[in-house]
Amino acid sequence: MPDAHHTTRARQRELTRGALVREGRRLFAAEGYAAVGLAEIVRAAGVTKGALYHHFDGKAALFRAVLEVVQQEVAGRVAAAAGAEDDPWAQLTAGCRAFLTAGTDPEVQRIMLLDGPAVLGWNEWRALDEAASARHLTEALAGLTAAGEIPPQPVEPLTRLLSGAMNEAALWLASSHGPTDLDDTWAALSRMLEALRAGPPAR
């Protein structure tokens, strides 16, 4: 069994990392990645630069950890919205709408949609996005295909197309300011989703 000293040190490391992620998130959301310096982050977290470098290689690595937390929270919102529905098709549409709605949150916009691709690069940003949410979308589409709600087809390209459409819509919403932009975007996405559905069986 670990002794009390090691347990205390592990707990302290966990608290330090948590403080850095929490304060980094607050500052990145409020000021944007480029405007935030390491000195500001460690001062807000109440730790030293040495403590930061013990956990992260630098500001970009801390930002990556913050982005992962935000993406997981958005995925949780999507899963909760889908889980509140009983019908599989309603689960898909509720989850898609929850994703678009999450993208209107200023903190999500700044960290996940605006700074995320710019700081990490598109490939790494997409990899994190897939790890957080693409698996759930794949499972939902596979279930709908198996149930006959969607015509038989390879699910992987369909997942990529739908995920790409939603990410592009969310990126656009992050830079738009119209009062009806979210409703208009959801209406367009709803029409796209309905076009995927299998029609009534031929007589």
Side-chain angles (χ1 to χ4, degrees):
M1 293 179 62
D3 60 34
H5 176 69
H6 286 132
T7 300
T8 300
R9 290 191 62 182
R11 177 61 177 160
Q12 184 57 49
R13 286 194 296 270
E14 181 183 329
L15 290 172
T16 298
R17 189 182 191 281
L20 287 165
V21 171
R22 182 179 64 254
E23 293 303 320
R25 175 178 180 164
R26 181 180 64 81
L27 291 167
F28 291 143
E31 303 176 29
Y33 177 84
V36 178
L38 286 179
E40 187 178 4
I41 295 170
V42 298
R43 184 168 58 249
V47 302
T48 64
K49 273 193 178 181
L52 183 145
Y53 282 115
H54 178 76
H55 293 277
F56 304 102
D57 292 340
K59 188 170 76 164
L62 172 59
F63 178 83
R64 187 184 193 280
V66 169
L67 175 59
E68 285 182 307
V69 171
V70 173
Q71 286 182 317
Q72 288 163 7
E73 288 178 0
V74 170
R77 293 189 208 179
V78 170
E85 303 291 340
D86 295 325
D87 176 72
W89 184 261
Q91 290 174 352
L92 174 68
T93 57
C96 290
R97 176 147 196 166
F99 177 81
L100 290 183
T101 302
T104 64
D105 180 327
E107 189 171 288
V108 173
Q109 287 180 349
R110 168 61 73 178
I111 293 172
M112 192 176 92
L113 300 173
L114 299 177
D115 282 347
V119 174
L120 300 182
W122 181 254
N123 288 338
E124 186 172 1
W125 183 85
R126 280 292 296 136
L128 290 176
D129 177 65
E130 288 182 11
S133 60
R135 177 173 58 84
H136 301 294
L137 181 58
T138 300
E139 291 172 354
L141 292 172
L144 288 166
T145 302
E149 286 271 9
I150 296 176
Q153 60 189 289
V155 170
E156 190 65 26
L158 182 59
T159 301
R160 300 280 177 164
L161 288 167
L162 184 54
S163 177
M166 288 195 294
N167 279 326
E168 281 299 318
L171 286 166
W172 179 73
L173 285 171
S175 60
S176 68
H177 305 286
T180 66
D181 285 344
L182 176 59
D183 289 338
D184 292 343
T185 301
W186 172 243
L189 181 59
S190 294
R191 288 190 289 270
M192 286 179 58
L193 292 171
E194 284 298 326
L196 295 176
R197 299 186 82 173
R203 297 194 175 195

